[in-house]
Amino acid sequence: MICSYCGTEGLEDICPFCGADLNIKRPKLKEFVVLEDVEKPFNELSCFHTYDLLVLLRLVRKERTKAYDLMLRLKKDDKSPQIIQITRNYLKDLYEPYTKRMKLIWLY
């Protein structure tokens, strides 16, 4: 058996070089990931390849930044307070889940 992490050959269960368990299947790269993948539960995200998780993290951060920037713009604009407050609440409802999903991906 060959270690899929470091390439050491002639192994049985555990790689003597890196200590990887060779009975556990290593996650494969997906053809593509989309922002909706971030909604998957933790046990499904744990099966994602590290690179795919980094791409998801980038997508979540981008959406979170958009929501934050819009909240800042609305703070400066006071033309119609009721509409602005409704929009600000909507953006806050977007920003907080993106922050939580970002932390979930980052901590994995």
Side-chain angles (χ1 to χ4, degrees), residues 74-86:
L74 287 175
K75 231 179 200 182
K76 296 176 184 177
D77 188 14
D78 55 354
K79 293 177 183 173
S80 177
Q82 185 179 12
I83 293 173
I84 289 176
Q85 187 60 38
I86 292 169

Side-chain angles (χ1 to χ4, degrees), residues 52-83:
D52 292 331
L53 290 172
L54 289 172
V55 170
L56 274 179
L57 183 60
R58 187 185 74 201
L59 292 172
V60 170
R61 284 181 171 170
K62 185 176 179 179
E63 292 301 313
R64 181 177 174 256
T65 300
K66 284 181 193 176
Y68 184 77
D69 290 343
L70 284 171
M71 284 191 301
L72 285 180
R73 277 191 226 150
L74 287 175
K75 231 179 200 182
K76 296 176 184 177
D77 188 14
D78 55 354
K79 293 177 183 173
S80 177
Q82 185 179 12
I83 293 173

